[in-house]
Amino acid sequence: MKHIAISLFVAAALAACSSGTSGSTTGGTTAAGTTTGHATGGAGSTTGAASTTGAGSTTGSHSSGSSSAGSTGAGASSGGAGTTGAGSTTGAGASSGGVGTTGAGTGGLASVLLVDNDGVPGSGNPDPSLTLAQGWLTAAGIPFDVYQEPNDGSDPSDVDPQDSQLTGINTIVWITGDNNGDGDPTVSSTQQTLLQAWLDEGGKTLVLLAPALPDDFGVDSWTSPETNTFLTSYVGLQNDLYDPLWANVVTTTEPDLASTASFTATGSSGASAFAGRTWTVVNNDDTNGSPYVRFRTSIVNPAAGTDVLATVMADPTSSGTNAAVPVATGNKAAGKLGTSTVVFVGLTVENLSNLIPSQNVQCDFLTAIQTYAGMGGTAGNCGVTVPTGTATAPTLLVDSDYESTDVSLPVFQSWLTGLGGAYTTYTPPQGAPYDFNDVDPSAPSLAGLSTIVWITGENDGDDTPTIGWGQQALLDAWLDEGGKTLVLFAAGAGDDFAQDSWSSNEPNWFLSNYAGFLADVQDPSVVVSGGDVDIDSQTSNVVTGSSVSGFNGLSWNVTMSENLQLNYFTIVNPLPSNVDVLATVQVDPTNSGTANTAEPIVIGHKQVGAAGTSTVVYVGFEVENIQSLPGTATQAQFLQAIAAYAAVP
């Protein structure tokens, strides 16, 4: 069993759990549109208390191997202070005779034990869950030890941490990240028994940041009573449900909560540390290889005497109406003596966005837990500084096409330059590492922006998201401010994160409530002689303008050419109200094989957001592939029509 005493939290590692702070606010020129760079994990993620706190503040002065702030090891791998004595080991890297390994341990080096059971293998791998928890405790000035649960089968009994290690431990913080028990248990049955005995001693505090625990060991039902003793008698639950349904009132669908880009957690008025606070929880399932935590959410029905700390809007009974249901609870009468505390958090705290305007942040949530549970320490910031600033121009051009030869960017830069308004170009990073929450551009760069033009070229999300779910959450918040305009040239988005169905309503909140999608199909069929074929198999397709001013009477020839873009098409069945059809294409979305129909491929939604005063335009084909032929309009005419409709400056 491996026991690790952490002597110094390296704040630079917080780049893994903090979004960039400067890439989207610096380096961009106006009018000319020079592409800005992107600094992932900007200055804000490497500053703060965690970057300067000495070893003594993380494991206590008992870590005799080192006491300097610059040390990373308090004894390092050879463990100068680590001995083979009866559990008196100090030092981070003592590999033998560690606390509890001989069965005669006198407890950890600190009264707080951080158990890392998120399933991230081995040291040296990016571990956003452990990094965040370390940063929280370090910034709060709470000494702690770390135990990392092995995930290689080396501990067949899975009894960790051993009982001897818990002597002297008053608080355990147990983190599971995106572990849902498929590989390793979140909190195994044997571990539950061990924790119950420890809580029975009285005066103990257990913080379970373990959103998938009900899916792993619970009944996982909103109507059947919970039977697991650990969950009922210690956590204080009557019912629990993993990944509940939620009612999308725009499309009247009932998707799983995991299918949305984000949701809001609201602090309970009955828990003073949480009251009046809200947090945006961002889905990170599309970060394609970067350090991330999957979207895990469990709602719970607490037993009498268990406090509700935070709620989310969900529809666990599939009634068609959302209600505020608990997602975090606290039981302050746990154990046989009724004097221990258990806090359960059913959301991934790692996914709380630090960049959504007006929302609180990861460490604010953890500090609320710290206050509620009486863990001591001070309010910290986990080493994360929420950046501030304003945009350098009223228009932002986001280049999310990731092309080695960028044929998209010059087209749109030339368009915006010709319009005469100042703009800045932002290019999100391609491939790992992304910003942890995949939220780019960062929120401060949106302050002062009136227009965002988002281009994806031939990107369909296979390597890098077209519009990451974290980005969608940020755009939602920005559009809610009112008076904003978002133009999405994002044909590949239909293949990336949309429902891609003509018969099922689009559940994605960003596409339905903001872009105005009721249903959508990427690469629809076209009836030609001999039956249906995919639209992108055609050498060219004609997009026809609607009766809306600027589009009326015009048509555009969209050509498939290896010298231009791959030809993506996403058609849209728009919401029945407040959405304008700007252009159509002849396709056969139902695969009838008999006739094509004119279906929307460009739409405009002019009553968007909480204020109902923002505009979103969606273009579902590659404008870059418009070729002027006799009798058809030009690329410039199409872009001018978009500018006039959306009032692009």
Side-chain angles (χ1 to χ4, degrees):
M1 181 174 62
K2 180 180 179 185
H3 185 77
I4 305 171
I6 299 299
S7 65
L8 178 66
F9 171 66
V10 183
L14 277 167
C17 68
S18 169
S19 301
T21 63
S22 59
S24 61
T25 60
T26 61
T29 63
T30 60
T34 303
T35 304
T36 61
H38 176 67
T40 59
S45 62
T46 58
T47 60
S51 62
T52 58
T53 303
S57 65
T58 57
T59 63
S61 59
H62 39 251
S63 178
S64 57
S66 171
S67 60
S68 66
S71 169
T72 60
S77 59
S78 61
T83 70
T84 57
S88 59
T89 304
T90 58
S95 59
S96 63
V99 175
T101 60
T102 65
T106 57
L109 301 177
S111 64
V112 176
L113 180 63
L114 174 57
V115 178
D116 177 24
N117 193 22
D118 60 1
V120 175
S123 60
N125 290 281
D127 191 340
S129 300
L130 178 60
T131 299
L132 176 62
Q134 287 175 317
W136 161 41
L137 296 173
T138 300
I142 299 175
F144 64 96
D145 294 333
V146 172
Y147 172 78
Q148 289 183 293
E149 171 72 21
N151 63 345
D152 58 3
S154 63
D155 191 353
S157 64
D158 196 33
V159 183
D160 322 293
Q162 290 183 359
D163 196 14
S164 57
Q165 282 187 274
L166 301 188
T167 303
I169 294 293
N170 294 321
T171 299
I172 296 176
V173 177
W174 195 290
I175 56 175
T176 64
D178 63 15
N179 179 11
N180 68 344
D182 287 347
D184 299 289
T186 51
V187 186
S188 74
S189 297
T190 308
Q191 291 169 331
Q192 291 173 36
T193 300
L194 177 64
L195 291 171
Q196 288 170 193
W198 174 75
L199 289 164
D200 284 343
E201 296 174 8
K204 308 298 186 183
T205 297
L206 174 62
V207 177
L208 292 166
L209 304 177
L213 177 58
D215 183 47
D216 194 5
F217 284 94
V219 172
D220 191 21
S221 170
W222 204 245
T223 56
S224 299
E226 179 56 63
T227 59
N228 178 282
T229 299
F230 179 65
L231 292 175
T232 56
S233 299
Y234 291 83
V235 180
L237 306 182
Q238 295 186 86
N239 307 87
D240 44 67
L241 183 62
Y242 176 72
D243 192 18
L245 296 176
W246 65 289
N248 187 333
V249 296
V250 174
T251 58
T252 65
T253 55
E254 287 273 330
D256 294 337
L257 195 61
S259 69
T260 188
S262 65
F263 62 82
T264 298
T266 302
S268 171
S269 59
S272 59
F274 290 82
R277 300 179 181 277
T278 57
W279 298 268
T280 296
V281 191
V282 175
N283 193 331
N284 289 319
D285 274 354
D286 62 351
T287 49
N288 294 306
S290 75
Y292 70 102
V293 176
R294 291 182 182 90
F295 213 48
R296 308 288 191 196
T297 309
S298 289
I299 57 173
V300 296
N301 181 16
T306 300
D307 299 323
V308 175
L309 305 182
T311 61
V312 297
M313 299 301 291
D315 185 19
T317 62
S318 195
S319 66
T321 303
N322 293 319
V325 291
V327 73
T329 58
N331 178 14
K332 288 192 171 183
K336 289 182 178 179
L337 299 180
T339 58
S340 290
T341 296
V342 177
V343 174
F344 173 77
V345 178
L347 55 82
T348 41
V349 179
E350 301 90 329
N351 289 6
L352 299 180
S353 175
N354 285 325
L355 295 176
I356 303 297
S358 79
Q359 300 292 288
N360 295 292
V361 299
Q362 292 168 339
C363 289
D364 181 77
F365 189 91
L366 293 170
T367 299
I369 292 175
Q370 175 186 330
T371 301
Y372 171 83
M375 293 172 59
T378 59
N381 67 352
C382 300
V384 177
T385 301
V386 179
T388 58
T390 57
T392 57
T395 298
L396 180 67
L397 173 60
V398 179
D399 179 23
S400 188
D401 56 5
Y402 308 106
E403 298 161 343
S404 55
T405 301
D406 197 338
V407 301
S408 300
L409 184 60
V411 170
F412 297 98
Q413 286 181 321
S414 177
W415 169 48
L416 293 175
T417 299
L419 292 176
Y423 70 92
T424 301
T425 301
Y426 170 79
T427 301
Q430 181 178 9
Y434 297 125
D435 290 348
F436 175 64
N437 277 334
D438 194 28
V439 179
D440 340 280
S442 62
S445 71
L446 302 188
L449 278 178
S450 61
T451 303
I452 296 177
V453 176
W454 198 291
I455 60 174
T456 66
E458 63 181 29
N459 179 12
D460 65 348
D462 285 348
D463 299 314
T464 306
T466 52
I467 309 170
W469 282 24
Q471 294 169 328
Q472 293 172 40
L474 182 61
L475 291 172
D476 291 351
W478 177 73
L479 290 164
D480 282 344
E481 295 174 7
K484 309 297 185 183
T485 297
L486 173 64
V487 183
L488 298 169
F489 295 94
D495 188 44
D496 189 6
F497 57 83
Q499 176 82 357
D500 195 18
S501 170
W502 204 245
S503 58
S504 300
N505 288 349
E506 175 56 59
N508 180 282
W509 189 249
F510 173 71
L511 290 180
S512 62
N513 197 47
Y514 290 84
F517 287 30
L518 181 63
D520 46 75
V521 173
Q522 195 270 337
D523 194 16
S525 297
V526 178
V527 176
V528 296
S529 58
D532 278 341
V533 299
D534 290 342
I535 192 172
D536 65 4
S537 68
Q538 301 296 93
T539 57
S540 65
N541 296 278
V542 175
V543 171
T544 302
S546 70
S547 59
V548 173
S549 176
F551 294 88
N552 189 24
L554 299 179
S555 63
W556 294 268
N557 187 66
V558 184
T559 301
M560 181 70 169
S561 172
E562 292 300 324
N563 294 324
L564 297 174
Q565 296 282 2
L566 295 176
N567 225 350
Y568 292 126
F569 290 87
T570 295
I571 59 171
V572 178
N573 182 10
L575 295 176
S577 60
N578 302 324
V579 179
D580 298 319
V581 175
L582 305 181
T584 61
V585 64
Q586 291 287 326
V587 291
D588 182 22
T590 62
N591 297 317
S592 67
T594 58
N596 294 317
T597 55
E599 302 296 347
I601 196 167
V602 184
I603 62 173
H605 190 189
K606 280 196 169 181
Q607 295 184 28
V608 173
T613 57
S614 290
T615 296
V616 177
V617 174
Y618 177 78
V619 179
F621 72 94
E622 257 88 29
V623 176
E624 302 92 314
N625 287 357
I626 292 177
Q627 289 195 339
S628 298
L629 295 176
T632 64
T634 64
Q635 189 181 83
Q637 285 175 302
F638 181 85
L639 292 171
Q640 182 56 42
I642 293 289
Y645 174 85
V648 178

